[in-house]
Amino acid sequence: MAILSTQNLGQSFGAFDVFLNVNVNIEAGAKIGMVGPNGIGKTSLLLILCGLEKAGEGRIQMTEGLRLGYLRQEAMQAFQEATNTVWEEMMSVFDGVREQEVRLAELEGQMASVTDADRLEAIFDEYGTIREHFEAMGGYDYEVRTKATLEGLGFSEAEYNTALTHLSGGQKTRALLARLLLARPDLLVLDEPTNHLDIGAVEWLERTLRQWSGALLIVSHDRYFLDAAVNTMWELSRDGIETFNGNYSAYVRQRRERLERAEAVYQQEMERMRAELDYIKRNMARASTSPQAMGRLRRLSRDLAAIAELGLGSYKQSKSWLRTGIDSVRPYSVSEAESALKAIPSPIVRAHKLSLRLSATYRSGEIVLRTRDLEIGYPGKSLFNTDDIVLTRQECAAVIGDNGTGKTTLLKTLLGEIEPLSGHITLGAGLKVGYFAQAHDDLNPENTVLDELLRHKPMALSDARKHLAQYLFRSDDVYKQISMLSGGERAKLALAILALDGANLLLLDEPTNHLDIPAQEILQEVLEQFDGTILLVSHDRYLIDRLATQVWSLEDGALRVFKGNYQEFVVVRDQEWEQRKAARAAAKAQPIQMHTISAAKAKPSKPKSDALKKVEAQIHSVETSLKELDHLITRASAAQKVGTVEKLGQRYAAEQAMMSDLMAQWTNLAEDPA
């Protein structure tokens, strides 16, 4: 069942159509990822679907009472009016549940004191109704769930009492995401949810969304995340949305197969129609064959008119002229038919795209990098120690770790910009190093794009403009000031400059940040074909998975070197996590065991030990009785057996009173040192 659907949805700004003809259904429980190039209107479409912007045309239908949650790409404006702390904001999700919790406690107290049968029956009815709803809303575990969600998204307990207004932009985004996950809307819409999350938090979010019972619609540049979280892909273009079954990797395969099939059909049809046109042109002037030529021209005119109206793919699917829904058309002239044939577009859209080339000017030595006993940090502040490193030619080492652990500092140390605190770094022979900085802080913000390129490598203006055009800086774009560029444009300029270096060792710090998926795919292909060595700092696990031959993991003040690819690293890491978890559990059990041994040596007085055991057994018995009575009361209340409910209620009150006495006895015995 569709909980949300659209009919011919479109958005325009003036004469510019952002997108048109969006016809989609979101089923209950659907897990959808949406992709498309930057500027195609993905965020605009999300805002329209969430009712935060109006569509230029078309309609949206939602099921009545649909609860919808939306995470903006950047939440800098979130919580502006809030006076809550992080914890208080999370608890506000459960205001209704907490009110029920208070009411249940009140009703439990009344059960023990009310003697009137009719009043007692009404109390049990209300109690049963509220408790059923309380359980369904997670009333018994909402605090535990809240702590797990905050911890999973990177909040420490020390941050629970931080005022929302004091959070950074990234923290606000994570707090808003936590609140949405706890609220459990019917449709959760997420715009770039992995921004501001380290790998650990992203992996936690993936596990959470895999178990999500509601519907999901996610826009993300994180291809690995889309692989893990969704089972349907939408590709947004100017002409609408195309749907693909499966995750991101399945979408890439299907997209390639569809394009190949469409291209094959296009070539076959074009060849057929060119042959028809050639026959018509050769025979129109001959009296003996002119009637046949005219007949073929009428059929070709009909085909060309239908293709112009419906597109080649839809025309081929119609299988017959009658099913096209197009009335008969007048025959084209030969020149009109020739023009119409040339106007049929290829299914492979030749849109402007990044044209990146990275090649080493010359070959480096076989050993590219070697370290021994290396300690990274700043004077007076050690960040981490490293395993000894050996990186050879044509390898790719991926550096991973939480934000702030020192990954960029490691690169700057290897570049010689920062001295190591201790240890040795040896660079191989014949190295030419190219560095892509995450913040692009080596770009002069006062320069234009053209001036900045020429500053790094002087060349003729025509050559510079030609080179920049390959990175989508065309026409007057080359005169844009760098301070006015978007994050994606700065990244493309940095890549354009890097491509001129001819480096055989690339140090890349978050190279896919700000790049849309098409640009990420192009960069990935180029790096896969690069004939030098790569040292990659990235949160992009899809890129790491395709490139890495070594994984350098930064955690707990140490950099550990794993020889192998990312998938192999994850398997070993998860096994180690399980082993650590088991070790921690054993360590927690150890003090209890030692306490028991000590207690045995001390030989406490037998009478007291027996008394404790007796009281504990009685407590267990009363707990069991209370649970059984609670179940019986619920059943009797549902069957409207007033007399039975009254008797059971009296027994329940008596058992509760007994439990209070037993707990007091247990406390006295446990605290008495004698």
Side-chain angles (χ1 to χ4, degrees), residues 439-576:
H440 312 306
D441 45 16
D442 55 341
L443 300 177
N444 185 340
E446 303 301 319
N447 277 349
T448 66
V449 170
L450 183 60
D451 289 340
E452 186 67 11
L453 183 78
L454 294 172
R455 180 172 75 89
H456 280 81
K457 184 149 188 172
M459 65 181 78
L461 286 178
S462 58
D463 292 338
R465 295 196 64 148
K466 183 178 179 181
H467 181 73
L468 287 170
Q470 296 175 1
Y471 296 82
L472 308 185
F473 294 102
R474 291 182 167 84
S475 188
D476 290 343
D477 290 343
V478 300
Y479 300 117
K480 283 184 178 179
Q481 194 171 28
I482 288 172
S483 60
M484 304 302 293
L485 297 181
S486 67
E489 287 172 324
R490 290 168 65 90
K492 289 170 186 173
L493 176 57
L495 287 171
I497 293 169
L498 182 66
L500 296 172
D501 287 344
N504 51 30
L505 171 60
L506 299 179
L507 272 58
L508 308 177
D509 195 352
E510 299 292 357
T512 57
N513 275 10
H514 308 294
L515 294 181
D516 59 18
I517 286 183
Q520 289 179 30
E521 291 174 341
I522 291 167
L523 177 60
Q524 174 190 307
E525 291 173 7
V526 169
L527 293 177
E528 286 175 331
Q529 298 166 11
F530 180 62
D531 56 355
T533 309
I534 301 171
L535 181 52
L536 171 69
V537 169
S538 182
H539 287 93
D540 186 341
R541 293 164 298 158
Y542 202 91
L543 184 68
I544 293 170
D545 193 43
R546 294 295 295 265
L547 296 179
T549 58
Q550 296 186 28
V551 178
W552 299 355
S553 175
L554 249 175
E555 186 180 1
D556 298 329
L559 183 146
R560 297 182 57 198
V561 174
F562 177 84
K563 298 290 184 69
N565 63 32
Y566 184 72
Q567 290 289 349
E568 293 167 342
F569 163 77
V570 168
V571 170
V572 173
R573 182 203 62 185
D574 289 350
Q575 289 173 347
E576 290 181 352

Side-chain angles (χ1 to χ4, degrees), residues 1 3 25-34 181 185-190 205-219 225-234 243-248 251:
M1 173 187 168
I3 59 175
N25 292 318
I26 299 178
E27 305 288 332
K31 306 288 187 291
I32 301 166
M34 180 162 62
L181 292 172
D186 303 316
L187 172 58
L188 181 60
V189 180
L190 305 176
L205 182 59
E206 288 168 355
R207 293 192 295 271
T208 300
L209 295 182
R210 275 197 293 267
Q211 300 167 2
W212 187 260
S213 59
L216 291 171
L217 175 56
I218 302 170
V219 168
F225 177 74
L226 290 173
D227 262 356
V230 307
N231 54 30
T232 302
M233 292 294 299
W234 288 355
T243 300
F244 298 80
N245 294 323
N247 60 12
Y248 175 80
Y251 148 74

Side-chain angles (χ1 to χ4, degrees), residues 14-56:
F16 177 69
D17 294 326
V18 181
F19 55 79
L20 297 170
N21 304 317
V22 171
N23 296 285
V24 292
N25 292 318
I26 299 178
E27 305 288 332
K31 306 288 187 291
I32 301 166
M34 180 162 62
V35 296
N38 285 347
I40 202 67
K42 298 186 294 296
T43 294
S44 293
L45 179 57
L46 295 188
L47 290 168
I48 291 169
L49 295 178
C50 294
L52 299 174
E53 283 187 4
K54 289 186 177 180

Side-chain angles (χ1 to χ4, degrees), residues 341-362:
L341 185 58
K342 289 178 180 178
I344 298 174
S346 167
I348 299 179
V349 179
R350 308 294 181 184
H352 294 314
K353 66 178 185 179
L354 190 68
S355 178
L356 173 62
R357 292 179 180 82
L358 294 172
S359 58
T361 304
Y362 47 83

Side-chain angles (χ1 to χ4, degrees), residues 97-107 134:
V97 174
R98 298 171 84 189
E99 288 173 5
Q100 291 175 344
E101 193 172 27
V102 171
R103 182 57 181 158
L104 287 174
E106 291 173 352
L107 292 172
F134 183 73

Side-chain angles (χ1 to χ4, degrees), residues 239-259:
D239 300 321
I241 279 180
E242 191 170 2
T243 300
F244 298 80
N245 294 323
N247 60 12
Y248 175 80
S249 292
Y251 148 74
V252 171
R253 289 193 300 272
Q254 291 174 54
R255 180 187 60 183
R256 182 177 61 249
E257 290 166 0
R258 287 189 191 185
L259 286 174

Side-chain angles (χ1 to χ4, degrees), residues 45-77:
L45 179 57
L46 295 188
L47 290 168
I48 291 169
L49 295 178
C50 294
L52 299 174
E53 283 187 4
K54 289 186 177 180
E57 58 184 71
R59 293 192 308 141
I60 301 174
Q61 290 180 312
M62 299 183 188
T63 56
E64 188 175 352
L66 180 70
R67 296 185 307 115
L68 193 150
Y70 174 54
L71 177 75
R72 292 178 180 272
Q73 189 174 145
E74 296 292 343
M76 287 295 294
Q77 305 305 315

